[in-house]
Amino acid sequence: MTPTIGILGGGQLGLMLLQAAIDWNLRVHILDPDAEAPCRTLCTQFTQGSLTDYDTVYQFGQTVDVLTIEIERVNVDALEALEREGKQVFPQPSVIRTIQDKRLQKQFYRDHNLPTADFILTENRAAVSQYSDFLPAFHKLGRDGYDGRGVQRIASSADVSKAFDAPGVLEKAVDFAKELAVIVARNERGEVQTFPTVEMVFHPELNLVEYLFAPAEITDEINQQAQAIARRTADAFGIVGLLAVELFLDKQGNVLINEVAPRPHNSGHHTIRANVTSQFEQHWRAILNFPLGDTSVYQPAAMVNLLGEDGHTGPAVYEGLETLLAMPGVFPFFYGKALTKPFRKMGHVTVMDSDLDQLRQKVAIVKESIRVVT
Amino acid sequence: MTPTIGILGGGQLGLMLLQAAIDWNLRVHILDPDAEAPCRTLCTQFTQGSLTDYDTVYQFGQTVDVLTIEIERVNVDALEALEREGKQVFPQPSVIRTIQDKRLQKQFYRDHNLPTADFILTENRAAVSQYSDFLPAFHKLGRDGYDGRGVQRIASSADVSKAFDAPGVLEKAVDFAKELAVIVARNERGEVQTFPTVEMVFHPELNLVEYLFAPAEITDEINQQAQAIARRTADAFGIVGLLAVELFLDKQGNVLINEVAPRPHNSGHHTIRANVTSQFEQHWRAILNFPLGDTSVYQPAAMVNLLGEDGHTGPAVYEGLETLLAMPGVFPFFYGKALTKPFRKMGHVTVMDSDLDQLRQKVAIVKESIRVVT
């Protein structure tokens, strides 16, 4: 009766999808290049193989009824072939194709009148040097940037040597007050449901979310703007599945799309504990064309990423777990990666409290207490 | 760093333990006689084998660091041998041995001054016939009774033919107002933490929990009695792990122990959604000697057991899932049993609402909406 589902990718997002899948007894096959991927022993069937190889993805797709992703760097040609043959592929390959390439993604916002920072498409480094009037800006690699790689700040002409000598997009630097995110779900019948707006605090150097507050501390008006933009973006893509919309709130009060991810997202991990429906359950609801779940909040939450400590590479050891487990409303989650390395995402901690000041205090203690070392 | 844990039993309780184990990336091996057990694809290692065979349990125990159970009908001799050799076995074999046998269990309450219905130990059917003054009573088989099997109501001497012709316990029928349950956890350092008292509504014929309300609608005084009895019972056993204490509230306002289970329990499934810490996470905390988790409640909850429809035996089909998924605060959970049969536990539905009347209305709709058929 229930369909067999395939996920491209077996990392932490796959792991949390599998955890949610247990409720409904979903049969899930996983494809991941790493024989030691976190999901390997927790799915109905695990296949080790490349996510970017046409034949591997195509053949994996043949073993399932519904195919989805937990990472967008996958072979979209194979997904399109599967879709043409009638396989359900959600999010749709066309959506993944647009989002995979930051150039197409930015152009998509412009074409659909969705607010985003001004940009110029560039073909190589020499092209970047022509736009000194446009600086300060970020130069982003069109394809294959990830977690801070593939982005360079070009403050002035002197920095042009840092630009990528490959197709990219030069994006005007936004003087932002806050970074926000809204995760939105859309199912095949076109129902759309957003999660409450969250506020991300980035690590000053690593371009990684260091911690997150939910709900964001913003005015109702800003919140409504953020929520509306997320809905409009999901509708513009016509996506079936989750879309995580990362936003800038600039100092003039404008809300601008930074980038999107067509899958569960780091900015929604707290929803496992803090919201009636988690982002992971919502993803299943969306791609299986079930009614979307209630996203309301039980308690304010924060989420702290557990990054591998600088200077430590090797088998991971988690110091301070005991302290965390003794704190009420503190929920560590480990991704089961055998090896830690500096700043690798090894887990996260959800922190909850009905009082916002208490919540902040708990976050400070959590950040002090736990370390991923070797 | 993290220990490998073994669970004897791979049914729905094992499944929910595995789901909770994902948060902490616990490595879990499962032993179950059924090659199609719900846990088979969701654990680090699955072994098909008998839970009551000495050698099978002993050898399985050798593969893990910490051994626990999700069902109490297991070979305790093997567990004791493992414990003697220094293996961590929680709950302790001595506790399982006492609870496995309803005669030892009842005698334990008497010896420890724990309130329970009056009883007489009987060796055979003929012995039961001597106690007509003690009727109405229940005759319970000492060992191997389960889910309504192994219990007979003996209303009068005319019913004595229904008594078991084997060692049993004749227990005075309690004229009860409500049936309550308190799940209590105790770790190796002796910390004890209870879950809020819940109220069980049994199916009139099947001796199975039909649905459950949390919190129970009882006075503070009764609640304190129930909570104190649960704590005292856990301390008396010195258990490490979870103890589910089923209680009668009689019409005079006395709280009496009905029976206990040394493991996660059907009366705590709602805690996955409704409480800060679920009974499953609490079990891991207790047996791994971590601080016990906060058991406070986000919202009042009910739990409806999904039983196989009468007259249907075969591959299971779940009718009405769409209706459930469209209701806010309604969380179905399916156990992944391939075959349904009349009154088999196939899943449960947790229902939550901040308003108790709304909660009751939702329960009524859920019970009307979903059916497990073939």
Side-chain angles (χ1 to χ4, degrees), chain B residues 201 208-212 266 269 303-307 335 344-349 367 370:
Chain B
V201 181
L208 277 174
V209 176
E210 193 176 9
Y211 60 98
L212 168 148
N266 194 229
H269 292 349
M303 190 278 300
V304 180
N305 275 323
L306 288 181
L307 305 179
Y335 300 156
R344 186 177 196 195
K345 282 185 194 164
M346 299 299 288
H348 70 264
V349 184
K367 289 173 66 182
I370 190 145

Side-chain angles (χ1 to χ4, degrees), chain A residues 1-58:
Chain A
M1 181 199 69
T2 49
T4 299
I5 301 157
I7 307 178
L8 299 182
Q12 65 262 27
L13 298 172
L15 191 65
M16 291 180 259
L17 282 169
L18 287 175
Q19 190 180 38
I22 291 175
D23 281 22
W24 300 349
N25 185 40
L26 301 177
R27 294 169 50 83
V28 185
H29 294 192
I30 299 259
L31 178 68
D32 195 278
D34 181 359
E36 298 298 311
C39 292
R40 68 196 179 284
T41 61
L42 295 166
C43 53
T44 310
Q45 197 176 296
F46 179 74
T47 305
Q48 185 187 2
S50 166
L51 301 175
T52 52
D53 178 66
Y54 182 95
D55 290 337
T56 306
V57 170
Y58 181 79

